[in-house]
Amino acid sequence: MRAVDGRVCEEFSPAYYGVCTMGGMFSAGTTHLAITPLDVLKVNMQVNPIKYNSMYSGLNILLREGGPSALWRGWAGKFLGYGVQGGFKFGLYEYFKKLYSDVLVDQNRSFIYFISSASAQVFADVALCPFEAVKVRVQTQPNFAKGLGDGFPKLYATEGLSGFYKGLVPLWCRNLPFSTIMFTTFEHSVDFLYCNVIQKRKENCSKAQQLGVTCVAGYASGAVGILISNPADNIVASLYNKKADNVMQAVKNIGLANLFTRSLPIRITLVGPVVTLQWLFYDAIKVLTGLPTSGGLENHLEGVN
């Protein structure tokens, strides 16, 4: 039953965190599923940059060698893995942000955003890692497995439980910087837009205006996060495909400059719109359930009506 104010639940209640978790699962799972073809191309460009040396030629090679179905390899891993990760990432971020803001009352907001997103991402990547391990192999090794159904038991049989978590540390190295930068940039972008562009309090804006702010802040957060996380993203792909046995060897094989530039254009093409849509879907679910959109521990708009 809805509350008098139209909300399905009270903020910071268990039901509220449940809505945030489900919203995160839906927003992350659907957006990552939609860009599976570009993700297949990105991973192959990282693992075999000589063969897949550009987006256009890489797509042609994939279509010529595997047909249209080759572009959708690993779709189940994308949908389920990143759905689970998104649920943990968004749901736990809301929980930790409230927890830390209550406990660390004298800390500045940036620190609260940073440790909240980092705490949530640690758990989110533990949940994602097994799906990612199978997905990358399915996408780059056509004879490995058809998908999650046969990929999970095959990976376990050949590499044991450790095979699912071989890339956990590189995942943390990639996603922790991305997540902390993304959430912190998003929060401050929301505050900046309300304070300096719209010059209204959030509660005085229409739902369309609030979702517009979410989109702009979401794109800004994704763009900054991409630049920070690209080296670790290349290392993850190298480790999962046995191009290197450890992180240092992967760095040596790829080269320091290539860590920052390899697959960067396609990641910009991929991640910017995906992050924007994730925030839009996530906040749209909040709006539909009568909850306020995301952004800030409180609405800091001194002197703004």
Side-chain angles (χ1 to χ4, degrees), residues 45-50 231 234-235 237-260 262:
M45 288 177 70
Q46 290 174 325
V47 173
N48 194 345
I50 296 176
N234 281 300
I235 292 171
S238 180
L239 290 174
Y240 276 142
N241 284 276
K242 300 182 179 179
K243 299 292 183 177
D245 294 325
N246 54 60
V247 172
M248 293 306 298
Q249 185 179 346
V251 172
K252 182 178 179 181
N253 292 347
I254 296 171
L256 189 60
N258 286 335
L259 279 177
F260 290 90
R262 181 179 293 178

Side-chain angles (χ1 to χ4, degrees), residues 32-42 44 52 55 58-75 78 139:
H32 278 280
L33 174 64
I35 50 86
T36 296
L38 289 175
D39 184 62
V40 172
L41 176 60
K42 181 208 75 170
N44 279 281
Y52 302 93
M55 293 176 64
L59 284 171
N60 283 334
I61 292 170
L62 287 169
L63 287 170
R64 185 173 65 249
E65 294 183 352
S69 62
L71 299 179
W72 291 95
R73 291 177 192 150
W75 70 267
K78 289 285 287 181
Q139 290 178 335

